[in-house]
Amino acid sequence: MHGSLSVLRPSVAVMVSAVTALVDAARTALRAAADPAAAEPMRAYMKSAMPFLGVPKPARTAALRPVFAEHRVDDGDGWRAAVLVLWDGAEFREERYAAVTLAQLKQYAAYATRPDALDVYDHLVVTGAWWDFVDEVAIRSVGPVLRAHHDAVAPVVRRWARDDDRWRRRTAVICQVGLKGDVDTALLAEAIEANVHDKDFFLRKGIGWALRQHAKTDPGWVRAFVAAHEADLSPLSRREALRNIDPPSIVTRG
């Protein structure tokens, strides 16, 4: 029953070949761009157990651009497989950064913004389990799916806001950063309220960040929210939320 894929399912064999070529080329390009002298300082800054190759973002972008242009996959299954193979097989952190970049390429937007892509993003969030991965995926991957398919995705965000995993909860809080006028304030409030008493730094910082960003679009809503939750918000969250709001206009409690 283990016959050749090329005989049993030619389309699968082609997809596997394309995915393998893309992943191998990405890894080769990153290794060619590596600066061993930079690797340990980068790892120490990120407090990463996974080693770095020593490829900062500008060099990483330059190395991967021709790879992603030359090696393409043709459908959603190929996109999903390429992202996950590159991510799960990573030996160096830059390979995981490359997987996130691949997931967000405009040429794959038709697959990356479908509700079923959330399974991929959830995997990256939970297994990445650190702010550099989580923030990028939450804002630039989960957020666009929420905007495109609000009714299908909002219940997932609500579940994540109450999940045991703190990175799912941070994702729920910050995934609307950058959505501007498309922010669902009821969903934002619910995600914050579900985490407002948690003492975790990343959740408190995330709450403040989400509110500060939305204040650029609707400062009145943020002022009112902070005033209504003054007793619950941590000083860090409150300070971040109001950072860019004119202090004299902040609502005071009577």
Side-chain angles (χ1 to χ4, degrees), residues 18 22 64-80 82-83 98-114 121 140:
L22 189 160
L64 292 172
R65 184 182 294 115
V67 170
F68 291 152
E70 179 180 356
H71 298 275
R72 295 173 179 255
V73 292
D74 295 329
D75 56 26
D77 288 340
W79 168 80
R80 176 186 294 262
V83 171
V100 174
T101 298
L102 175 62
Q104 296 170 348
L105 290 178
K106 290 182 180 179
Q107 66 208 51
Y108 301 123
Y111 318 126
T113 56
R114 296 190 320 204
Y121 305 144
R140 296 193 60 206

Side-chain angles (χ1 to χ4, degrees), residues 21 32 90 95 100 107 110 124 127 132 157 160 225 249:
E95 293 173 312
V100 174
Q107 66 208 51
L124 304 188
T127 59
D132 55 337
V157 174
W160 286 355
F225 184 89
S249 66

Side-chain angles (χ1 to χ4, degrees), residues 215 219-224 227 242 244-253:
W221 186 91
V222 173
R223 291 188 196 104
L242 301 176
N244 297 323
I245 297 179
D246 184 17
S249 66
I250 295 173
V251 175
T252 58
R253 299 181 70 182

Side-chain angles (χ1 to χ4, degrees), residues 4-201:
S4 169
L5 285 175
S6 63
V7 173
L8 296 179
R9 297 183 63 188
S11 62
V12 173
V14 170
M15 182 194 75
V16 169
S17 177
V19 168
T20 300
L22 189 160
V23 170
D24 287 349
R27 290 174 176 158
T28 297
L30 289 171
R31 283 161 174 75
D35 177 2
E40 178 54 27
M42 291 173 70
R43 188 207 63 77
Y45 171 77
M46 198 52 64
K47 300 178 180 178
S48 174
M50 180 177 283
F52 275 79
L53 283 164
V55 188
K57 186 174 181 178
R60 190 169 72 244
T61 299
L64 292 172
R65 184 182 294 115
V67 170
F68 291 152
E70 179 180 356
H71 298 275
R72 295 173 179 255
V73 292
D74 295 329
D75 56 26
D77 288 340
W79 168 80
R80 176 186 294 262
V83 171
L84 295 178
V85 169
L86 186 53
W87 176 275
D88 288 337
E91 297 179 22
F92 299 94
R93 204 169 188 90
E94 289 93 340
E95 293 173 312
R96 288 195 158 182
Y97 293 147
V100 174
T101 298
L102 175 62
Q104 296 170 348
L105 290 178
K106 290 182 180 179
Q107 66 208 51
Y108 301 123
Y111 318 126
T113 56
R114 296 190 320 204
D116 60 5
L118 287 180
D119 289 345
V120 174
Y121 305 144
D122 182 55
H123 180 72
L124 304 188
V125 164
V126 173
T127 59
W130 199 238
W131 64 266
D132 55 337
F133 296 134
V134 171
D135 293 4
E136 180 73 9
V137 172
I139 294 168
R140 296 193 60 206
S141 294
V142 176
V145 181
L146 175 63
R147 178 165 51 193
H149 304 279
H150 177 274
D151 291 348
V153 175
V156 178
V157 174
R158 290 189 176 94
R159 289 198 302 271
W160 286 355
R162 293 171 173 81
D163 197 87
D164 289 340
D165 187 281
R166 67 168 170 170
W167 299 109
R168 282 193 180 116
R169 285 184 281 142
R170 180 172 167 95
T171 296
V173 169
I174 68 171
C175 66
Q176 297 194 78
V177 166
L179 295 190
K180 299 180 180 180
D182 291 330
V183 168
D184 177 346
T185 53
L187 181 61
L188 176 60
E190 187 174 343
I192 292 173
E193 289 165 354
N195 293 281
V196 72
H197 296 116
D198 198 299
K199 296 182 179 180
D200 181 81
F201 169 81

